[in-house]
Amino acid sequence: MKDYDMDIMFALTVIKEAMPKSIIASDIVNGDTHIRIKREDLLQFALFLKNDARLEFDMLSDLFAVDYPKRAERIEVIYNFYSIKNNFRVFVKIWSKIDEPEYPSLTSVYNSADWFEREVYDMFGLKFKDHPDLKRILNPDDWVGHPLLKDYPLRQRPEPKDIEMDAPGYVDLEQIK
């Protein structure tokens, strides 16, 4: 460990002292710090992680969701914050019910949130309030449903004869040869 690397317990202590009312639970698993927070505190929590001089989590390196259909709060969104200066990362988690699909957008804090939030919107149907251009990123605009929800019907895919072949971005493989 380098001299400037931050001790994981020190970082967790700093976060807990600064944001005690936002934290629901915290844990260290296999050397990674996991903190579950209240959804309504996400924006303030992210601003603190980024701007605190001791922490400097200057990168949102990933953002993804998981669907646990047997849990009351079945949707879990996980934010992976990284501090380049300290070579340290923290996973921030938010749980919600399936009928509470709106989250604060982090695009005003981290530019990388733009595409990550669009991907989660497309695949899970979660909406990010104040996102500058929330639209599908992997599926066509007219796609019905969100394929990574566990109750998404697998047989809902359109038949190849129903796919619009003159849609923007479609390339006929025969023309490439």
Side-chain angles (χ1 to χ4, degrees):
M1 179 178 277
K2 299 174 187 170
D3 291 341
Y4 55 84
D5 285 345
M6 178 173 286
D7 178 59
I8 190 169
M9 293 308 296
F10 173 73
L12 189 55
T13 301
V14 168
I15 295 168
K16 283 181 172 179
E17 287 177 0
M19 310 291 291
K21 294 182 179 177
S22 300
I23 297 173
I24 297 170
S26 65
D27 198 7
I28 297 176
V29 179
N30 297 326
D32 293 323
T33 304
H34 298 251
I35 303 172
R36 184 175 162 217
I37 67 167
K38 297 175 185 172
R39 180 174 35 172
E40 61 271 18
D41 295 343
L42 175 64
L43 189 55
Q44 180 185 6
F45 199 86
L47 284 168
F48 171 75
L49 292 179
K50 185 173 185 178
N51 297 326
D52 185 89
R54 298 163 293 179
L55 303 176
E56 291 187 41
F57 284 96
D58 48 356
M59 181 189 299
L60 175 64
S61 59
D62 200 5
L63 181 174
F64 53 97
V66 182
D67 182 8
Y68 296 99
K70 294 183 179 179
R71 289 194 331 203
E73 294 179 301
R74 69 182 254 191
I75 301 296
E76 182 174 294
V77 179
I78 302 160
Y79 300 82
N80 180 353
F81 295 98
Y82 184 71
S83 169
I84 295 171
K85 172 188 166 191
N86 297 307
N87 188 24
F88 182 80
R89 86 179 53 249
V90 62
F91 295 94
V92 175
K93 300 178 177 186
I94 298 176
W95 294 4
S96 69
K97 295 178 180 174
I98 192 71
D99 60 348
E100 300 171 334
E102 191 168 283
Y103 288 74
S105 174
L106 292 186
T107 54
S108 64
V109 183
Y110 296 97
N111 289 334
S112 61
D114 186 353
W115 284 37
F116 297 146
E117 290 175 353
R118 284 181 59 189
E119 183 180 14
V120 170
Y121 164 72
D122 191 4
M123 303 309 279
F124 291 89
L126 305 182
K127 295 180 178 127
F128 293 89
K129 185 178 179 190
D130 298 326
H131 188 283
D133 188 25
L134 192 61
K135 61 183 181 182
R136 289 190 179 268
I137 191 169
L138 299 173
N139 291 302
D141 291 339
D142 59 349
W143 190 266
V144 177
H146 304 284
L148 290 184
L149 289 175
K150 298 291 186 194
D151 54 2
Y152 180 80
L154 294 177
R155 304 268 182 218
Q156 192 171 337
R157 283 192 241 165
E159 293 295 322
K161 64 180 175 48
D162 296 332
I163 295 175
E164 192 175 320
M165 299 304 181
D166 60 347
Y170 176 78
V171 177
D172 185 354
L173 294 179
E174 296 298 322
Q175 294 177 352
I176 293 176
K177 294 180 184 177

